[in-house]
Coordinates of all heavy atoms in Angstrom, one line a residue:
M1 N 0.8 -1.2 0.0 CA 0.0 0.0 0.0 C 0.9 1.2 0.0 O 0.6 2.2 -0.8 CB -0.9 0.0 1.2 CG -2.1 -1.0 1.1 SD -3.3 -0.7 2.4 CE -2.7 -1.8 3.6
A2 N 1.9 1.2 0.8 CA 2.9 2.5 0.9 C 3.6 2.6 -0.4 O 3.7 3.7 -0.9 CB 3.8 2.2 2.0
V3 N 4.0 1.5 -1.1 CA 4.7 1.6 -2.3 C 3.8 2.2 -3.4 O 4.2 3.2 -4.1 CB 5.2 0.2 -2.7 CG1 5.7 0.2 -4.2 CG2 6.3 -0.3 -1.8
E4 N 2.6 1.7 -3.5 CA 1.6 2.3 -4.5 C 1.3 3.7 -4.2 O 1.1 4.5 -5.2 CB 0.4 1.4 -4.7 CG 0.6 0.0 -5.2 CD 1.3 0.0 -6.6 OE1 1.4 1.1 -7.2 OE2 1.8 -1.0 -7.0
L5 N 1.0 4.0 -2.9 CA 0.7 5.4 -2.6 C 1.8 6.4 -3.0 O 1.7 7.4 -3.6 CB 0.5 5.5 -1.1 CG 0.1 6.9 -0.6 CD1 -1.2 7.3 -1.2 CD2 -0.1 6.8 1.0
T6 N 3.2 5.9 -2.7 CA 4.3 6.7 -3.1 C 4.4 6.9 -4.7 O 4.7 8.0 -5.2 CB 5.6 6.0 -2.6 OG1 5.4 5.9 -1.1 CG2 6.8 6.9 -2.8
N7 N 4.2 5.7 -5.3 CA 4.2 5.8 -6.8 C 3.3 6.7 -7.4 O 3.6 7.5 -8.3 CB 4.0 4.4 -7.5 CG 5.2 3.4 -7.3 OD1 6.3 3.9 -7.1 ND2 5.0 2.1 -7.4
G8 N 2.0 6.6 -6.9 CA 1.0 7.5 -7.3 C 1.2 9.0 -7.0 O 1.0 9.8 -7.9
T9 N 1.8 9.3 -5.9 CA 2.0 10.6 -5.5 C 3.1 11.2 -6.4 O 3.0 12.3 -7.0 CB 2.5 10.7 -4.0 OG1 1.6 10.1 -3.2 CG2 2.8 12.1 -3.6
L10 N 4.1 10.4 -6.7 CA 5.2 10.8 -7.7 C 4.7 11.1 -9.1 O 5.1 11.9 -9.7 CB 6.4 9.8 -7.5 CG 7.2 9.7 -6.3 CD1 8.2 8.6 -6.3 CD2 8.0 11.1 -6.1
L11 N 3.9 10.2 -9.5 CA 3.3 10.3 -10.8 C 2.5 11.6 -10.9 O 2.6 12.4 -11.9 CB 2.4 9.1 -11.1 CG 1.6 9.1 -12.5 CD1 2.6 9.3 -13.7 CD2 0.9 7.8 -12.6
A12 N 1.6 11.9 -9.9 CA 0.9 13.1 -9.9 C 1.8 14.4 -9.9 O 1.5 15.4 -10.6 CB -0.1 13.1 -8.8
L13 N 2.9 14.3 -9.1 CA 3.8 15.4 -9.0 C 4.4 15.6 -10.3 O 4.6 16.8 -10.9 CB 4.8 15.1 -8.0 CG 5.9 16.1 -7.6 CD1 5.2 17.4 -7.0 CD2 6.9 15.6 -6.7
H14 N 4.9 14.6 -11.0 CA 5.5 14.6 -12.3 C 4.6 15.2 -13.4 O 4.9 16.2 -14.1 CB 5.9 13.2 -12.7 CG 6.4 13.2 -14.2 ND1 7.6 13.8 -14.6 CD2 5.9 12.6 -15.2 CE1 7.8 13.5 -15.9 NE2 6.8 12.8 -16.3
L15 N 3.3 14.8 -13.4 CA 2.4 15.4 -14.3 C 2.0 16.8 -14.1 O 2.0 17.6 -15.0 CB 1.0 14.5 -14.4 CG 1.2 13.1 -14.9 CD1 -0.1 12.3 -14.7 CD2 1.7 12.9 -16.2
G16 N 2.0 17.1 -12.8 CA 1.7 18.6 -12.4 C 2.9 19.4 -12.9 O 2.7 20.6 -13.5
R17 N 4.2 18.9 -12.8 CA 5.4 19.7 -13.2 C 5.3 19.8 -14.7 O 5.7 20.8 -15.3 CB 6.6 19.0 -12.7 CG 6.8 19.3 -11.2 CD 8.1 18.5 -10.7 NE 8.3 19.0 -9.3 CZ 9.0 18.2 -8.5 NH1 9.5 17.1 -8.8 NH2 9.1 18.6 -7.2
R18 N 4.8 18.8 -15.4 CA 4.8 18.9 -16.9 C 3.8 19.9 -17.3 O 4.0 20.6 -18.2 CB 4.4 17.5 -17.5 CG 5.5 16.4 -17.5 CD 5.1 15.4 -18.6 NE 5.1 16.0 -19.9 CZ 6.1 16.1 -20.8 NH1 7.3 15.7 -20.4 NH2 6.0 16.6 -22.0
K19 N 2.7 19.9 -16.6 CA 1.6 20.9 -17.0 C 2.2 22.3 -16.7 O 2.0 23.3 -17.6 CB 0.4 20.7 -16.1 CG -0.8 21.7 -16.4 CD -1.9 21.1 -15.8 CE -3.1 22.1 -15.9 NZ -3.3 22.8 -17.1
D20 N 3.0 22.5 -15.6 CA 3.6 23.9 -15.4 C 4.7 24.2 -16.3 O 5.1 25.3 -16.6 CB 4.2 24.0 -14.0 CG 3.0 24.0 -13.0 OD1 1.9 24.4 -13.3 OD2 3.4 23.6 -11.7
G21 N 5.3 23.1 -17.0 CA 6.6 23.3 -17.8 C 6.2 23.0 -19.3 O 5.5 23.7 -19.9
P22 N 6.8 21.9 -19.7 CA 6.7 21.7 -21.2 C 5.4 21.4 -21.9 O 5.2 21.4 -23.0 CB 7.6 20.4 -21.4 CG 7.7 19.7 -20.0 CD 7.4 20.8 -19.1
G23 N 4.4 21.0 -20.9 CA 3.0 20.7 -21.4 C 2.7 19.2 -21.1 O 3.5 18.4 -20.9
L24 N 1.3 19.1 -21.1 CA 0.8 17.7 -20.7 C -0.1 17.3 -21.9 O -1.0 18.0 -22.3 CB 0.0 18.0 -19.5 CG -0.4 16.8 -18.6 CD1 0.8 15.9 -18.2 CD2 -1.1 17.4 -17.4
R25 N 0.0 16.1 -22.4 CA -0.9 15.6 -23.4 C -2.0 14.8 -22.7 O -1.8 14.2 -21.7 CB 0.0 14.6 -24.3 CG 1.0 15.4 -25.1 CD 1.4 14.6 -26.4 NE 2.0 13.3 -26.0 CZ 3.3 13.1 -25.6 NH1 4.1 14.1 -25.6 NH2 3.7 11.9 -25.3
P26 N -3.1 14.7 -23.4 CA -4.3 14.0 -22.9 C -4.1 12.6 -22.4 O -4.5 12.1 -21.4 CB -5.4 14.0 -24.0 CG -5.0 15.1 -24.8 CD -3.5 15.4 -24.7
E27 N -3.2 11.9 -23.2 CA -3.0 10.5 -22.8 C -2.1 10.4 -21.6 O -2.2 9.4 -20.8 CB -2.3 9.7 -24.0 CG -1.0 10.2 -24.6 CD -1.1 11.2 -25.6 OE1 -2.2 11.9 -25.7 OE2 -0.1 11.5 -26.4
Q28 N -1.2 11.4 -21.3 CA -0.5 11.5 -20.1 C -1.4 11.6 -18.9 O -1.3 11.0 -17.8 CB 0.6 12.5 -20.2 CG 1.7 12.3 -21.1 CD 2.6 13.4 -21.4 OE1 2.2 14.6 -21.4 NE2 3.9 13.1 -21.6
V29 N -2.4 12.5 -19.1 CA -3.5 12.6 -17.9 C -4.2 11.3 -17.8 O -4.4 11.0 -16.7 CB -4.4 13.8 -18.4 CG1 -5.6 13.9 -17.3 CG2 -3.7 15.1 -18.5
S30 N -4.6 10.7 -18.8 CA -5.1 9.3 -18.8 C -4.4 8.3 -18.0 O -4.9 7.7 -17.1 CB -5.5 8.8 -20.1 OG -6.7 9.4 -20.6
I31 N -3.1 8.3 -18.2 CA -2.1 7.4 -17.5 C -2.1 7.7 -16.0 O -2.3 6.8 -15.2 CB -0.7 7.4 -18.1 CG1 -0.7 6.8 -19.5 CG2 0.4 6.8 -17.1 CD1 0.7 6.9 -20.2
G32 N -2.1 8.9 -15.7 CA -2.1 9.4 -14.3 C -3.4 9.0 -13.6 O -3.4 8.4 -12.5
K33 N -4.6 9.3 -14.3 CA -5.9 9.1 -13.6 C -6.1 7.6 -13.5 O -6.6 7.1 -12.5 CB -7.0 9.7 -14.5 CG -7.0 11.2 -14.2 CD -8.2 11.9 -14.9 CE -8.2 13.3 -14.6 NZ -9.5 13.9 -15.1
L34 N -5.8 6.9 -14.6 CA -6.1 5.4 -14.7 C -5.3 4.7 -13.6 O -5.8 3.9 -12.8 CB -5.8 4.8 -16.1 CG -5.9 3.3 -16.3 CD1 -7.4 2.9 -16.0 CD2 -5.4 2.8 -17.6
N35 N -4.0 5.0 -13.5 CA -3.2 4.4 -12.4 C -3.6 4.7 -11.0 O -3.8 3.9 -10.2 CB -1.7 4.8 -12.7 CG -0.8 4.0 -11.6 OD1 -0.5 2.9 -11.7 ND2 -0.5 4.8 -10.6
N36 N -3.8 6.1 -10.8 CA -3.9 6.5 -9.3 C -5.2 6.2 -8.8 O -5.3 5.8 -7.7 CB -3.6 8.0 -9.3 CG -2.1 8.3 -9.3 OD1 -1.4 7.5 -9.7 ND2 -1.7 9.5 -8.9
V37 N -6.3 6.2 -9.6 CA -7.6 5.8 -9.2 C -7.6 4.3 -8.9 O -8.3 3.8 -7.9 CB -8.7 6.3 -10.1 CG1 -10.1 5.7 -9.6 CG2 -8.8 7.8 -10.1
S38 N -7.1 3.5 -9.8 CA -7.3 2.1 -9.6 C -6.3 1.6 -8.4 O -6.7 0.7 -7.7 CB -6.9 1.3 -11.0 OG -5.6 1.6 -11.3
K39 N -5.2 2.3 -8.2 CA -4.4 1.8 -7.2 C -5.0 2.3 -5.8 O -4.9 1.6 -4.9 CB -2.9 2.4 -7.3 CG -2.1 1.9 -8.4 CD -1.9 0.5 -8.4 CE -1.3 -0.2 -9.6 NZ -1.3 -1.6 -9.7
A40 N -5.7 3.4 -6.0 CA -6.4 4.0 -4.6 C -7.4 2.9 -4.3 O -7.6 2.6 -3.0 CB -6.9 5.2 -4.8
L41 N -8.2 2.4 -5.3 CA -9.2 1.5 -5.0 C -8.6 0.1 -4.5 O -9.1 -0.5 -3.6 CB -10.0 1.2 -6.2 CG -11.3 1.9 -6.3 CD1 -11.9 1.9 -7.7 CD2 -12.4 1.5 -5.3
E42 N -7.4 -0.3 -5.1 CA -6.7 -1.5 -4.5 C -6.4 -1.4 -3.2 O -6.6 -2.3 -2.3 CB -5.5 -1.8 -5.4 CG -5.8 -2.6 -6.6 CD -4.4 -2.9 -7.4 OE1 -3.4 -3.1 -6.7 OE2 -4.5 -2.7 -8.6
I43 N -5.8 -0.2 -2.8 CA -5.5 0.0 -1.4 C -6.5 0.0 -0.5 O -6.6 -0.6 0.6 CB -4.8 1.3 -1.3 CG1 -3.4 1.4 -2.0 CG2 -4.5 1.8 0.2 CD1 -2.7 2.8 -2.1
C44 N -7.8 0.6 -0.8 CA -8.9 0.6 0.0 C -9.5 -0.8 0.1 O -9.9 -1.2 1.2 CB -10.0 1.5 -0.7 SG -10.3 3.0 0.2
R45 N -9.5 -1.6 -1.0 CA -10.0 -3.0 -0.8 C -9.1 -3.8 0.1 O -9.6 -4.6 0.9 CB -10.0 -3.6 -2.3 CG -11.2 -3.1 -3.1 CD -11.3 -3.8 -4.5 NE -12.4 -3.1 -5.2 CZ -12.3 -2.7 -6.4 NH1 -11.2 -2.9 -7.1 NH2 -13.3 -2.1 -7.0
T46 N -7.7 -3.6 0.0 CA -6.9 -4.3 0.9 C -7.2 -3.9 2.4 O -7.2 -4.8 3.2 CB -5.4 -4.1 0.6 OG1 -5.2 -4.3 -0.8 CG2 -4.4 -4.8 1.4
A47 N -7.3 -2.7 2.6 CA -7.6 -2.2 4.0 C -8.8 -2.8 4.5 O -9.0 -3.1 5.6 CB -7.6 -0.6 4.0
R48 N -9.8 -2.8 3.6 CA -11.2 -3.4 4.0 C -11.1 -4.8 4.2 O -11.6 -5.3 5.3 CB -12.1 -3.2 2.7 CG -13.6 -3.7 3.0 CD -14.4 -3.3 1.8 NE -14.3 -4.2 0.7 CZ -15.0 -5.2 0.6 NH1 -15.8 -5.7 1.5 NH2 -14.8 -6.0 -0.4
T49 N -10.3 -5.6 3.5 CA -10.2 -7.1 3.7 C -9.5 -7.4 5.0 O -9.9 -8.2 5.7 CB -9.4 -7.8 2.5 OG1 -9.9 -7.3 1.3 CG2 -9.5 -9.3 2.7
I50 N -8.5 -6.5 5.4 CA -7.8 -6.7 6.7 C -8.8 -6.7 7.9 O -8.6 -7.3 8.8 CB -6.7 -5.6 6.8 CG1 -5.5 -5.9 5.8 CG2 -6.1 -5.5 8.2 CD1 -4.6 -4.8 5.7
L51 N -9.8 -5.8 7.7 CA -10.8 -5.6 8.8 C -11.9 -6.8 8.8 O -12.8 -6.7 9.6 CB -11.5 -4.3 8.7 CG -10.6 -3.1 8.9 CD1 -11.3 -1.8 8.7 CD2 -10.0 -3.1 10.4
G52 N -11.8 -7.7 7.8 CA -12.8 -8.7 7.7 C -14.2 -8.2 7.6 O -14.4 -7.2 6.9
A53 N -15.2 -8.8 8.3 CA -16.6 -8.4 8.2 C -16.8 -6.9 8.6 O -17.6 -6.2 8.1 CB -17.5 -9.4 9.0
N54 N -15.8 -6.6 9.7 CA -15.9 -5.2 10.1 C -15.8 -4.1 9.0 O -16.2 -3.0 9.0 CB -15.0 -4.9 11.1 CG -15.5 -5.5 12.6 OD1 -16.7 -5.6 12.8 ND2 -14.6 -5.9 13.4
G55 N -15.0 -4.6 7.9 CA -14.6 -3.7 6.8 C -15.7 -3.3 5.9 O -15.6 -2.2 5.3
I56 N -16.8 -4.0 6.0 CA -17.9 -3.6 5.1 C -19.0 -2.9 5.9 O -20.1 -2.6 5.4 CB -18.5 -4.8 4.3 CG1 -19.0 -5.8 5.2 CG2 -17.6 -5.2 3.2 CD1 -20.0 -6.9 4.5
S57 N -18.8 -2.7 7.2 CA -19.7 -1.9 8.0 C -19.3 -0.5 8.1 O -18.1 -0.2 8.0 CB -19.9 -2.6 9.4 OG -18.8 -2.1 10.2
L58 N -20.3 0.5 8.3 CA -20.0 1.8 8.4 C -19.4 2.2 9.7 O -19.0 3.4 10.0 CB -21.3 2.6 8.2 CG -21.8 2.7 6.7 CD1 -23.1 3.3 6.6 CD2 -20.7 3.4 5.8
E59 N -19.2 1.2 10.6 CA -18.5 1.5 11.9 C -17.0 1.9 11.7 O -16.4 2.5 12.5 CB -18.4 0.1 12.7 CG -18.4 0.3 14.2 CD -18.5 -1.1 14.9 OE1 -19.3 -2.0 14.3 OE2 -18.0 -1.2 16.0
Y60 N -16.5 1.4 10.5 CA -15.1 1.8 10.1 C -15.2 2.7 8.8 O -16.0 2.4 7.9 CB -14.3 0.6 9.9 CG -14.0 -0.2 11.2 CD1 -15.1 -1.1 11.6 CD2 -12.9 0.0 11.9 CE1 -14.9 -1.8 12.8 CE2 -12.8 -0.7 13.1 CZ -13.8 -1.6 13.6 OH -13.6 -2.4 14.7
P61 N -14.3 3.7 8.7 CA -14.4 4.6 7.6 C -14.0 4.1 6.2 O -14.2 4.6 5.2 CB -13.6 5.8 7.9 CG -12.6 5.2 8.9 CD -13.3 4.1 9.6
V62 N -13.3 2.8 6.2 CA -12.6 2.4 4.9 C -13.7 2.2 3.8 O -13.4 2.5 2.6 CB -11.7 1.2 5.2 CG1 -12.5 -0.1 5.6 CG2 -10.8 1.0 4.0
I63 N -14.9 1.6 4.1 CA -15.9 1.3 3.1 C -16.4 2.7 2.5 O -16.7 2.7 1.3 CB -17.0 0.4 3.6 CG1 -17.9 -0.2 2.5 CG2 -17.9 1.1 4.7 CD1 -17.2 -1.2 1.7
R64 N -16.4 3.6 3.4 CA -16.9 5.1 2.8 C -15.9 5.5 1.8 O -16.3 6.0 0.8 CB -17.1 6.0 4.0 CG -17.7 7.3 3.6 CD -18.0 8.1 4.9 NE -16.8 8.2 5.7 CZ -15.8 9.1 5.5 NH1 -15.9 9.9 4.4 NH2 -14.7 9.2 6.3
H65 N -14.5 5.4 2.2 CA -13.6 5.9 1.1 C -13.7 5.0 -0.1 O -13.5 5.5 -1.3 CB -12.2 5.6 1.7 CG -11.9 6.6 2.8 ND1 -11.9 7.9 2.6 CD2 -11.5 6.3 4.1 CE1 -11.6 8.6 3.8 NE2 -11.4 7.6 4.7
M66 N -14.0 3.6 0.0 CA -14.0 2.7 -1.2 C -15.3 3.2 -2.1 O -15.0 3.3 -3.3 CB -14.1 1.4 -0.7 CG -13.6 0.3 -1.7 SD -13.7 -1.3 -1.1 CE -14.7 -1.9 -2.5
T67 N -16.4 3.3 -1.5 CA -17.6 3.8 -2.4 C -17.3 5.1 -3.0 O -17.8 5.4 -4.1 CB -18.9 3.6 -1.5 OG1 -18.8 4.5 -0.4 CG2 -19.2 2.3 -1.2
N68 N -16.7 6.1 -2.2 CA -16.4 7.4 -2.8 C -15.4 7.2 -4.0 O -15.6 7.8 -5.1 CB -15.8 8.2 -1.7 CG -15.4 9.7 -2.2 OD1 -16.4 10.2 -2.9 ND2 -14.3 10.1 -2.2
L69 N -14.5 6.2 -3.8 CA -13.5 6.1 -4.9 C -14.2 5.4 -6.1 O -13.7 5.7 -7.3 CB -12.3 5.2 -4.5 CG -11.4 6.0 -3.6 CD1 -10.3 5.0 -2.9 CD2 -10.5 6.9 -4.6
E70 N -15.3 4.6 -6.0 CA -16.0 4.2 -7.1 C -16.6 5.1 -7.8 O -16.6 5.2 -9.1 CB -17.0 3.1 -6.6 CG -16.5 1.8 -6.0 CD -15.9 0.8 -7.1 OE1 -16.0 1.2 -8.4 OE2 -15.3 -0.1 -6.7
S71 N -17.0 6.3 -7.2 CA -17.6 7.5 -7.9 C -16.5 8.2 -8.6 O -16.6 8.6 -9.8 CB -18.2 8.5 -6.9 OG -19.2 7.9 -6.2
V72 N -15.3 8.3 -7.9 CA -14.1 9.0 -8.6 C -13.7 8.2 -9.8 O -13.5 8.8 -10.9 CB -12.9 9.2 -7.7 CG1 -11.7 9.6 -8.3 CG2 -13.3 9.8 -6.4
L73 N -13.8 6.9 -9.7 CA -13.4 6.1 -11.0 C -14.3 6.4 -12.1 O -13.9 6.3 -13.3 CB -13.6 4.6 -10.5 CG -13.3 3.5 -11.7 CD1 -11.9 2.9 -11.4 CD2 -14.3 2.4 -11.7
T74 N -15.6 6.9 -11.9 CA -16.5 7.2 -13.0 C -16.4 8.6 -13.5 O -16.1 8.9 -14.6 CB -18.0 7.0 -12.5 OG1 -18.2 5.7 -12.0 CG2 -18.9 7.2 -13.6
Y75 N -16.3 9.5 -12.4 CA -16.3 11.0 -12.9 C -14.9 11.4 -13.4 O -14.8 12.5 -14.0 CB -17.0 11.9 -12.0 CG -16.3 12.1 -10.7 CD1 -15.1 12.8 -10.6 CD2 -17.0 11.7 -9.5 CE1 -14.5 13.0 -9.2 CE2 -16.5 12.0 -8.2 CZ -15.3 12.7 -8.1 OH -14.8 13.0 -6.9
E76 N -13.8 10.7 -13.0 CA -12.5 11.2 -13.5 C -12.2 10.3 -14.9 O -11.1 10.5 -15.4 CB -11.4 10.8 -12.5 CG -11.5 11.8 -11.2 CD -11.1 13.2 -11.6 OE1 -10.7 13.6 -12.7 OE2 -11.2 14.1 -10.7
G77 N -13.2 9.6 -15.4 CA -13.0 8.8 -16.6 C -12.9 7.4 -16.3 O -12.1 7.0 -15.4
T78 N -13.7 6.6 -16.9 CA -13.7 5.2 -16.5 C -12.4 4.5 -17.1 O -11.8 5.1 -18.0 CB -14.9 4.4 -17.2 OG1 -14.9 4.7 -18.6 CG2 -16.2 5.0 -16.5
P79 N -12.1 3.3 -16.5 CA -10.8 2.7 -17.1 C -10.9 2.4 -18.5 O -9.9 2.5 -19.3 CB -10.7 1.4 -16.3 CG -11.5 1.6 -15.0 CD -12.6 2.7 -15.3
E80 N -12.1 2.1 -19.0 CA -12.3 1.8 -20.4 C -12.0 3.0 -21.3 O -11.2 2.9 -22.3 CB -13.8 1.5 -20.7 CG -14.2 0.1 -20.2 CD -14.8 0.2 -18.7 OE1 -14.7 1.4 -18.2 OE2 -15.2 -0.9 -18.2
M81 N -12.4 4.2 -20.9 CA -12.1 5.4 -21.6 C -10.6 5.7 -21.7 O -10.1 6.1 -22.7 CB -13.0 6.6 -21.1 CG -14.5 6.4 -21.2 SD -15.1 5.6 -22.7 CE -14.6 7.0 -23.9
H82 N -10.0 5.7 -20.5 CA -8.6 6.0 -20.4 C -7.8 5.0 -21.2 O -6.8 5.4 -21.9 CB -8.1 6.0 -19.0 CG -8.6 7.2 -18.2 ND1 -8.5 8.5 -18.7 CD2 -9.2 7.3 -17.0 CE1 -9.0 9.3 -17.8 NE2 -9.5 8.6 -16.7
T83 N -8.2 3.7 -21.1 CA -7.5 2.7 -22.0 C -7.6 3.0 -23.5 O -6.6 2.8 -24.2 CB -8.1 1.3 -21.7 OG1 -8.0 1.1 -20.2 CG2 -7.3 0.2 -22.3
L84 N -8.8 3.5 -23.9 CA -8.9 3.8 -25.2 C -8.1 5.0 -25.7 O -7.5 5.0 -26.8 CB -10.5 4.2 -25.6 CG -11.4 3.0 -25.6 CD1 -12.9 3.4 -25.5 CD2 -11.2 2.1 -26.8
V85 N -8.1 6.0 -24.8 CA -7.2 7.2 -25.1 C -5.8 6.8 -25.2 O -5.1 7.2 -26.1 CB -7.4 8.2 -24.0 CG1 -6.4 9.4 -24.1 CG2 -8.9 8.8 -24.0
I86 N -5.2 6.0 -24.3 CA -3.9 5.6 -24.2 C -3.6 4.8 -25.4 O -2.5 4.8 -26.1 CB -3.5 4.9 -23.0 CG1 -3.7 5.7 -21.7 CG2 -2.2 4.3 -23.0 CD1 -3.7 5.0 -20.4
G87 N -4.5 3.8 -25.8 CA -4.3 3.0 -27.0 C -4.3 3.7 -28.3 O -3.4 3.4 -29.2
Q88 N -5.1 4.8 -28.4 CA -5.0 5.7 -29.6 C -3.7 6.4 -29.7 O -3.1 6.4 -30.8 CB -6.1 6.6 -29.6 CG -6.2 7.5 -30.8 CD -7.3 8.6 -30.8 OE1 -7.8 9.0 -29.7 NE2 -7.6 9.2 -32.0
A89 N -3.2 6.8 -28.6 CA -1.9 7.5 -28.6 C -0.8 6.5 -28.9 O 0.2 7.0 -29.7 CB -1.5 8.2 -27.1
M90 N -0.8 5.3 -28.6 CA 0.2 4.4 -28.8 C 0.1 3.8 -30.2 O 1.1 3.5 -30.9 CB 0.1 3.1 -27.9 CG 0.5 3.5 -26.4 SD 0.2 2.2 -25.2 CE 1.5 1.0 -25.8
T91 N -1.1 3.5 -30.7 CA -1.2 2.9 -32.1 C -1.7 3.8 -33.2 O -1.6 3.4 -34.3 CB -2.2 1.8 -32.0 OG1 -3.5 2.4 -31.7 CG2 -1.9 0.8 -30.8
G92 N -2.3 5.1 -32.9 CA -2.8 5.8 -33.7 C -4.2 5.3 -34.2 O -4.9 6.0 -35.1
L93 N -4.8 4.3 -33.6 CA -6.1 3.8 -33.9 C -7.0 4.3 -32.9 O -7.0 3.8 -31.8 CB -6.0 2.3 -34.0 CG -5.0 1.7 -35.0 CD1 -4.9 0.2 -34.9 CD2 -5.4 2.0 -36.5
P94 N -8.1 5.0 -33.3 CA -9.2 5.3 -32.3 C -10.3 4.2 -32.3 O -11.1 4.2 -33.0 CB -9.8 6.6 -33.0 CG -9.5 6.4 -34.5 CD -8.3 5.6 -34.6
A95 N -10.0 3.2 -31.4 CA -10.8 2.0 -31.3 C -12.2 2.4 -30.8 O -13.1 1.5 -30.9 CB -10.2 1.1 -30.4
F96 N -12.4 3.6 -30.3 CA -13.8 3.9 -29.9 C -14.7 4.4 -30.9 O -15.9 4.6 -30.7 CB -13.8 4.9 -28.7 CG -12.8 6.0 -28.9 CD1 -13.2 7.2 -29.6 CD2 -11.5 5.8 -28.4 CE1 -12.2 8.2 -29.7 CE2 -10.6 6.8 -28.6 CZ -10.9 8.0 -29.2
R97 N -14.1 4.7 -32.2 CA -14.9 5.3 -33.3 C -15.6 4.0 -34.0 O -15.2 3.0 -34.2 CB -14.0 6.1 -34.2 CG -13.5 7.3 -33.5 CD -14.0 8.6 -34.3 NE -13.6 9.7 -33.3 CZ -12.5 10.4 -33.6 NH1 -11.6 10.1 -34.5 NH2 -12.3 11.5 -32.8
Ligands
LIG101 C1 -20.3 11.5 -8.4 C2 -20.4 11.9 -9.8 C3 -20.1 13.3 -10.0 C4 -20.2 13.7 -11.4 N1 -19.8 15.0 -11.6 C5 -19.8 15.6 -12.8 C6 -19.5 16.9 -13.0 O1 -19.2 17.7 -12.2 N2 -19.4 17.4 -14.3 C7 -19.7 16.4 -15.3 O2 -19.7 17.0 -16.6 N3 -20.0 15.2 -15.2 C8 -20.0 14.7 -13.9 N4 -20.3 13.4 -13.7 C9 -20.6 12.5 -14.9 C10 -19.5 11.7 -15.3 O3 -18.5 12.5 -16.0 C11 -20.1 10.5 -16.2 O4 -20.9 9.8 -15.4 C12 -18.9 9.8 -16.8 O5 -18.2 10.5 -17.8 C13 -19.3 8.4 -17.4 O6 -20.4 8.7 -18.4 P1 -21.7 8.1 -18.3 O7 -22.2 7.9 -16.9 O8 -22.7 8.7 -19.4 O9 -21.4 6.5 -18.8 P2 -21.4 6.0 -20.3 O10 -20.6 6.9 -21.1 O11 -22.8 5.6 -20.8 O12 -20.5 4.7 -20.1 C14 -21.1 3.6 -19.5 C15 -20.0 2.4 -19.5 O13 -19.7 2.2 -20.9 C16 -18.2 2.3 -21.1 N5 -18.1 3.0 -22.4 C17 -18.6 4.1 -22.9 N6 -18.2 4.3 -24.2 C18 -17.4 3.3 -24.4 C19 -16.6 3.0 -25.6 N7 -16.6 3.8 -26.7 N8 -15.9 1.8 -25.6 C20 -15.9 0.9 -24.6 N9 -16.6 1.3 -23.3 C21 -17.2 2.4 -23.4 C22 -17.8 3.3 -20.0 O14 -16.5 3.0 -19.7 C23 -18.8 2.9 -18.8 O15 -18.2 1.7 -18.1 C24 -20.3 12.8 -12.4 C25 -20.6 11.5 -12.2 C26 -20.6 11.0 -10.8 C27 -20.9 9.6 -10.7

């Protein structure tokens, strides 16, 4: 969890610096969002599992974070859409058309 959190933080920092400097392409934003939201969800799921049955009750805050992250996964762009954007940048083929 600590490793992925650090990786995601560094990726966000790098993309922010690119935006302030040489510029940021849409597919680079997609890489950042796709990675960081999916890793955040993985971290939440792991934390939830550690708590066993308590992890799915509102007695502990982790399930609230997890359901919030499911919303983030949608409104920051679904994995399918980011994958299509990255795929187009890599291959030149717009598979969603
Ligand atoms: C809590 C929350 C807050 C939001 N806030 C805002 C906001 O402030 N401003 C705003 O503009 N919008 C907002 N939204 C809307 C959000 O941007 C959309 O829900 C999101 O873009 C997905 O669009 P959709 O729901 O129409 O799903 P669809 O576009 O209908 O997609 C449904 C599913 O099909 C997949 N899909 C769609 N097209 C393709 C394709 N070509 N190929 C493969 N798979 C595909 C998607 O990945 C998804 O899994 C918010 C949503 C939520 C949940």
